[in-house]
mmCIF file with all atom_site columns, all heavy atoms in Angstrom:
data_model
loop_
_atom_site.group_PDB
_atom_site.id
_atom_site.type_symbol
_atom_site.label_atom_id
_atom_site.label_alt_id
_atom_site.label_comp_id
_atom_site.label_asym_id
_atom_site.label_entity_id
_atom_site.label_seq_id
_atom_site.pdbx_PDB_ins_code
_atom_site.Cartn_x
_atom_site.Cartn_y
_atom_site.Cartn_z
_atom_site.occupancy
_atom_site.B_iso_or_equiv
_atom_site.pdbx_formal_charge
_atom_site.auth_seq_id
_atom_site.auth_comp_id
_atom_site.auth_asym_id
_atom_site.auth_atom_id
_atom_site.pdbx_PDB_model_num
ATOM 1   N N   . LYS A 1 122 ? 105.733 44.811 116.232 1.00 95.00 ? 122 LYS A N   1
ATOM 2   C CA  . LYS A 1 122 ? 104.291 44.945 116.088 1.00 95.00 ? 122 LYS A CA  1
ATOM 3   C C   . LYS A 1 122 ? 103.828 46.347 116.388 1.00 95.00 ? 122 LYS A C   1
ATOM 4   O O   . LYS A 1 122 ? 102.936 46.846 115.721 1.00 95.00 ? 122 LYS A O   1
ATOM 5   C CB  . LYS A 1 122 ? 103.607 43.890 117.072 1.00 95.00 ? 122 LYS A CB  1
ATOM 6   C CG  . LYS A 1 122 ? 103.549 42.521 116.469 1.00 95.00 ? 122 LYS A CG  1
ATOM 7   C CD  . LYS A 1 122 ? 102.697 41.675 117.458 1.00 95.00 ? 122 LYS A CD  1
ATOM 8   C CE  . LYS A 1 122 ? 102.540 40.300 116.857 1.00 95.00 ? 122 LYS A CE  1
ATOM 9   N NZ  . LYS A 1 122 ? 101.953 39.410 117.896 1.00 95.00 ? 122 LYS A NZ  1
ATOM 10  N N   . GLN A 1 123 ? 104.410 46.885 117.507 1.00 92.00 ? 123 GLN A N   1
ATOM 11  C CA  . GLN A 1 123 ? 104.018 48.219 117.901 1.00 92.00 ? 123 GLN A CA  1
ATOM 12  C C   . GLN A 1 123 ? 104.359 49.208 116.838 1.00 92.00 ? 123 GLN A C   1
ATOM 13  O O   . GLN A 1 123 ? 103.660 50.174 116.455 1.00 92.00 ? 123 GLN A O   1
ATOM 14  C CB  . GLN A 1 123 ? 104.544 48.624 119.236 1.00 92.00 ? 123 GLN A CB  1
ATOM 15  C CG  . GLN A 1 123 ? 103.775 48.012 120.383 1.00 92.00 ? 123 GLN A CG  1
ATOM 16  C CD  . GLN A 1 123 ? 104.508 48.188 121.662 1.00 92.00 ? 123 GLN A CD  1
ATOM 17  O OE1 . GLN A 1 123 ? 105.609 48.669 121.703 1.00 92.00 ? 123 GLN A OE1 1
ATOM 18  N NE2 . GLN A 1 123 ? 103.834 47.803 122.792 1.00 92.00 ? 123 GLN A NE2 1
ATOM 19  N N   . ALA A 1 124 ? 105.599 49.125 116.302 1.00 92.00 ? 124 ALA A N   1
ATOM 20  C CA  . ALA A 1 124 ? 106.162 50.211 115.426 1.00 92.00 ? 124 ALA A CA  1
ATOM 21  C C   . ALA A 1 124 ? 105.529 50.116 114.097 1.00 92.00 ? 124 ALA A C   1
ATOM 22  O O   . ALA A 1 124 ? 105.184 51.140 113.484 1.00 92.00 ? 124 ALA A O   1
ATOM 23  C CB  . ALA A 1 124 ? 107.671 50.040 115.256 1.00 92.00 ? 124 ALA A CB  1
ATOM 24  N N   . TYR A 1 125 ? 105.178 48.912 113.581 1.00 91.00 ? 125 TYR A N   1
ATOM 25  C CA  . TYR A 1 125 ? 104.708 48.815 112.253 1.00 91.00 ? 125 TYR A CA  1
ATOM 26  C C   . TYR A 1 125 ? 103.234 48.383 112.077 1.00 91.00 ? 125 TYR A C   1
ATOM 27  O O   . TYR A 1 125 ? 102.582 48.511 111.052 1.00 91.00 ? 125 TYR A O   1
ATOM 28  C CB  . TYR A 1 125 ? 105.564 47.705 111.430 1.00 91.00 ? 125 TYR A CB  1
ATOM 29  C CG  . TYR A 1 125 ? 106.929 48.061 111.107 1.00 91.00 ? 125 TYR A CG  1
ATOM 30  C CD1 . TYR A 1 125 ? 107.897 48.091 112.109 1.00 91.00 ? 125 TYR A CD1 1
ATOM 31  C CD2 . TYR A 1 125 ? 107.295 48.424 109.836 1.00 91.00 ? 125 TYR A CD2 1
ATOM 32  C CE1 . TYR A 1 125 ? 109.185 48.447 111.851 1.00 91.00 ? 125 TYR A CE1 1
ATOM 33  C CE2 . TYR A 1 125 ? 108.575 48.790 109.517 1.00 91.00 ? 125 TYR A CE2 1
ATOM 34  C CZ  . TYR A 1 125 ? 109.584 48.752 110.514 1.00 91.00 ? 125 TYR A CZ  1
ATOM 35  O OH  . TYR A 1 125 ? 110.825 49.127 110.160 1.00 91.00 ? 125 TYR A OH  1
ATOM 36  N N   . GLY A 1 126 ? 102.635 47.912 113.213 1.00 93.00 ? 126 GLY A N   1
ATOM 37  C CA  . GLY A 1 126 ? 101.297 47.490 113.167 1.00 93.00 ? 126 GLY A CA  1
ATOM 38  C C   . GLY A 1 126 ? 101.035 46.370 112.266 1.00 93.00 ? 126 GLY A C   1
ATOM 39  O O   . GLY A 1 126 ? 99.927  46.216 111.605 1.00 93.00 ? 126 GLY A O   1
ATOM 40  N N   . ARG A 1 127 ? 102.024 45.474 111.931 1.00 95.00 ? 127 ARG A N   1
ATOM 41  C CA  . ARG A 1 127 ? 101.882 44.375 111.062 1.00 95.00 ? 127 ARG A CA  1
ATOM 42  C C   . ARG A 1 127 ? 101.736 43.122 111.773 1.00 95.00 ? 127 ARG A C   1
ATOM 43  O O   . ARG A 1 127 ? 102.088 42.948 112.945 1.00 95.00 ? 127 ARG A O   1
ATOM 44  C CB  . ARG A 1 127 ? 103.146 44.255 110.234 1.00 95.00 ? 127 ARG A CB  1
ATOM 45  C CG  . ARG A 1 127 ? 103.429 45.347 109.168 1.00 95.00 ? 127 ARG A CG  1
ATOM 46  C CD  . ARG A 1 127 ? 102.793 45.056 107.863 1.00 95.00 ? 127 ARG A CD  1
ATOM 47  N NE  . ARG A 1 127 ? 103.357 43.864 107.266 1.00 95.00 ? 127 ARG A NE  1
ATOM 48  C CZ  . ARG A 1 127 ? 104.419 43.933 106.398 1.00 95.00 ? 127 ARG A CZ  1
ATOM 49  N NH1 . ARG A 1 127 ? 104.995 44.952 106.124 1.00 95.00 ? 127 ARG A NH1 1
ATOM 50  N NH2 . ARG A 1 127 ? 104.827 42.799 105.892 1.00 95.00 ? 127 ARG A NH2 1
ATOM 51  N N   . GLU A 1 128 ? 101.175 42.107 111.078 1.00 96.00 ? 128 GLU A N   1
ATOM 52  C CA  . GLU A 1 128 ? 100.894 40.834 111.690 1.00 96.00 ? 128 GLU A CA  1
ATOM 53  C C   . GLU A 1 128 ? 102.200 40.041 111.810 1.00 96.00 ? 128 GLU A C   1
ATOM 54  O O   . GLU A 1 128 ? 102.783 39.753 110.759 1.00 96.00 ? 128 GLU A O   1
ATOM 55  C CB  . GLU A 1 128 ? 99.763  40.009 111.006 1.00 96.00 ? 128 GLU A CB  1
ATOM 56  C CG  . GLU A 1 128 ? 99.344  38.792 111.789 1.00 96.00 ? 128 GLU A CG  1
ATOM 57  C CD  . GLU A 1 128 ? 98.376  37.950 111.032 1.00 96.00 ? 128 GLU A CD  1
ATOM 58  O OE1 . GLU A 1 128 ? 97.791  38.456 110.076 1.00 96.00 ? 128 GLU A OE1 1
ATOM 59  O OE2 . GLU A 1 128 ? 98.171  36.884 111.459 1.00 96.00 ? 128 GLU A OE2 1
ATOM 60  N N   . ILE A 1 129 ? 102.654 39.557 112.993 1.00 97.00 ? 129 ILE A N   1
ATOM 61  C CA  . ILE A 1 129 ? 103.726 38.685 113.127 1.00 97.00 ? 129 ILE A CA  1
ATOM 62  C C   . ILE A 1 129 ? 103.326 37.411 113.886 1.00 97.00 ? 129 ILE A C   1
ATOM 63  O O   . ILE A 1 129 ? 103.018 37.543 115.051 1.00 97.00 ? 129 ILE A O   1
ATOM 64  C CB  . ILE A 1 129 ? 104.941 39.319 113.815 1.00 97.00 ? 129 ILE A CB  1
ATOM 65  C CG1 . ILE A 1 129 ? 105.223 40.698 113.167 1.00 97.00 ? 129 ILE A CG1 1
ATOM 66  C CG2 . ILE A 1 129 ? 106.188 38.488 113.886 1.00 97.00 ? 129 ILE A CG2 1
ATOM 67  C CD1 . ILE A 1 129 ? 106.365 41.474 113.852 1.00 97.00 ? 129 ILE A CD1 1
ATOM 68  N N   . GLU A 1 130 ? 103.339 36.272 113.183 1.00 97.00 ? 130 GLU A N   1
ATOM 69  C CA  . GLU A 1 130 ? 102.996 35.036 113.792 1.00 97.00 ? 130 GLU A CA  1
ATOM 70  C C   . GLU A 1 130 ? 104.206 34.453 114.517 1.00 97.00 ? 130 GLU A C   1
ATOM 71  O O   . GLU A 1 130 ? 105.306 34.590 113.980 1.00 97.00 ? 130 GLU A O   1
ATOM 72  C CB  . GLU A 1 130 ? 102.525 34.064 112.654 1.00 97.00 ? 130 GLU A CB  1
ATOM 73  C CG  . GLU A 1 130 ? 101.244 33.278 113.064 1.00 97.00 ? 130 GLU A CG  1
ATOM 74  C CD  . GLU A 1 130 ? 100.894 32.366 111.814 1.00 97.00 ? 130 GLU A CD  1
ATOM 75  O OE1 . GLU A 1 130 ? 101.416 31.351 111.656 1.00 97.00 ? 130 GLU A OE1 1
ATOM 76  O OE2 . GLU A 1 130 ? 100.046 32.973 111.059 1.00 97.00 ? 130 GLU A OE2 1
ATOM 77  N N   . PHE A 1 131 ? 103.999 33.952 115.678 1.00 97.00 ? 131 PHE A N   1
ATOM 78  C CA  . PHE A 1 131 ? 105.155 33.359 116.429 1.00 97.00 ? 131 PHE A CA  1
ATOM 79  C C   . PHE A 1 131 ? 104.923 31.974 116.819 1.00 97.00 ? 131 PHE A C   1
ATOM 80  O O   . PHE A 1 131 ? 103.982 31.629 117.514 1.00 97.00 ? 131 PHE A O   1
ATOM 81  C CB  . PHE A 1 131 ? 105.429 34.244 117.625 1.00 97.00 ? 131 PHE A CB  1
ATOM 82  C CG  . PHE A 1 131 ? 106.703 33.965 118.402 1.00 97.00 ? 131 PHE A CG  1
ATOM 83  C CD1 . PHE A 1 131 ? 107.836 33.403 117.813 1.00 97.00 ? 131 PHE A CD1 1
ATOM 84  C CD2 . PHE A 1 131 ? 106.730 33.979 119.787 1.00 97.00 ? 131 PHE A CD2 1
ATOM 85  C CE1 . PHE A 1 131 ? 108.959 33.082 118.440 1.00 97.00 ? 131 PHE A CE1 1
ATOM 86  C CE2 . PHE A 1 131 ? 107.855 33.731 120.529 1.00 97.00 ? 131 PHE A CE2 1
ATOM 87  C CZ  . PHE A 1 131 ? 109.054 33.258 119.850 1.00 97.00 ? 131 PHE A CZ  1
ATOM 88  N N   . HIS A 1 132 ? 105.831 31.003 116.380 1.00 97.00 ? 132 HIS A N   1
ATOM 89  C CA  . HIS A 1 132 ? 105.708 29.604 116.780 1.00 97.00 ? 132 HIS A CA  1
ATOM 90  C C   . HIS A 1 132 ? 106.981 29.258 117.566 1.00 97.00 ? 132 HIS A C   1
ATOM 91  O O   . HIS A 1 132 ? 108.090 29.688 117.150 1.00 97.00 ? 132 HIS A O   1
ATOM 92  C CB  . HIS A 1 132 ? 105.618 28.753 115.568 1.00 97.00 ? 132 HIS A CB  1
ATOM 93  C CG  . HIS A 1 132 ? 104.572 29.013 114.648 1.00 97.00 ? 132 HIS A CG  1
ATOM 94  N ND1 . HIS A 1 132 ? 103.215 28.617 114.904 1.00 97.00 ? 132 HIS A ND1 1
ATOM 95  C CD2 . HIS A 1 132 ? 104.488 29.668 113.510 1.00 97.00 ? 132 HIS A CD2 1
ATOM 96  C CE1 . HIS A 1 132 ? 102.469 29.003 114.016 1.00 97.00 ? 132 HIS A CE1 1
ATOM 97  N NE2 . HIS A 1 132 ? 103.193 29.716 113.130 1.00 97.00 ? 132 HIS A NE2 1
ATOM 98  N N   . LYS A 1 133 ? 106.785 28.460 118.573 1.00 95.00 ? 133 LYS A N   1
ATOM 99  C CA  . LYS A 1 133 ? 107.982 28.062 119.380 1.00 95.00 ? 133 LYS A CA  1
ATOM 100 C C   . LYS A 1 133 ? 107.808 26.663 120.049 1.00 95.00 ? 133 LYS A C   1
ATOM 101 O O   . LYS A 1 133 ? 106.652 26.259 120.206 1.00 95.00 ? 133 LYS A O   1
ATOM 102 C CB  . LYS A 1 133 ? 108.314 29.102 120.486 1.00 95.00 ? 133 LYS A CB  1
ATOM 103 C CG  . LYS A 1 133 ? 107.106 29.324 121.314 1.00 95.00 ? 133 LYS A CG  1
ATOM 104 C CD  . LYS A 1 133 ? 107.387 30.293 122.441 1.00 95.00 ? 133 LYS A CD  1
ATOM 105 C CE  . LYS A 1 133 ? 106.059 30.437 123.352 1.00 95.00 ? 133 LYS A CE  1
ATOM 106 N NZ  . LYS A 1 133 ? 106.291 31.268 124.470 1.00 95.00 ? 133 LYS A NZ  1
ATOM 107 N N   . ASN A 1 134 ? 108.806 26.006 120.383 1.00 91.00 ? 134 ASN A N   1
ATOM 108 C CA  . ASN A 1 134 ? 108.699 24.766 121.031 1.00 91.00 ? 134 ASN A CA  1
ATOM 109 C C   . ASN A 1 134 ? 109.500 24.753 122.401 1.00 91.00 ? 134 ASN A C   1
ATOM 110 O O   . ASN A 1 134 ? 109.768 23.715 123.037 1.00 91.00 ? 134 ASN A O   1
ATOM 111 C CB  . ASN A 1 134 ? 109.189 23.495 120.244 1.00 91.00 ? 134 ASN A CB  1
ATOM 112 C CG  . ASN A 1 134 ? 110.640 23.354 120.164 1.00 91.00 ? 134 ASN A CG  1
ATOM 113 O OD1 . ASN A 1 134 ? 111.389 24.332 120.415 1.00 91.00 ? 134 ASN A OD1 1
ATOM 114 N ND2 . ASN A 1 134 ? 111.137 22.306 119.677 1.00 91.00 ? 134 ASN A ND2 1
ATOM 115 N N   . ILE A 1 135 ? 109.764 26.010 122.855 1.00 89.00 ? 135 ILE A N   1
ATOM 116 C CA  . ILE A 1 135 ? 110.460 26.242 124.117 1.00 89.00 ? 135 ILE A CA  1
ATOM 117 C C   . ILE A 1 135 ? 109.978 27.382 124.903 1.00 89.00 ? 135 ILE A C   1
ATOM 118 O O   . ILE A 1 135 ? 109.440 28.315 124.315 1.00 89.00 ? 135 ILE A O   1
ATOM 119 C CB  . ILE A 1 135 ? 112.001 26.424 123.851 1.00 89.00 ? 135 ILE A CB  1
ATOM 120 C CG1 . ILE A 1 135 ? 112.197 27.317 122.651 1.00 89.00 ? 135 ILE A CG1 1
ATOM 121 C CG2 . ILE A 1 135 ? 112.815 25.143 123.819 1.00 89.00 ? 135 ILE A CG2 1
ATOM 122 C CD1 . ILE A 1 135 ? 113.337 28.228 122.810 1.00 89.00 ? 135 ILE A CD1 1
#
Side-chain angles (χ1 to χ4, degrees):
K122 272 187 178 166
Q123 276 169 356
Y125 289 74
R127 291 267 302 269
E128 188 184 347
I129 305 179
E130 220 174 87
F131 184 36
H132 301 282
K133 56 177 180 173
N134 75 344
I135 39 142

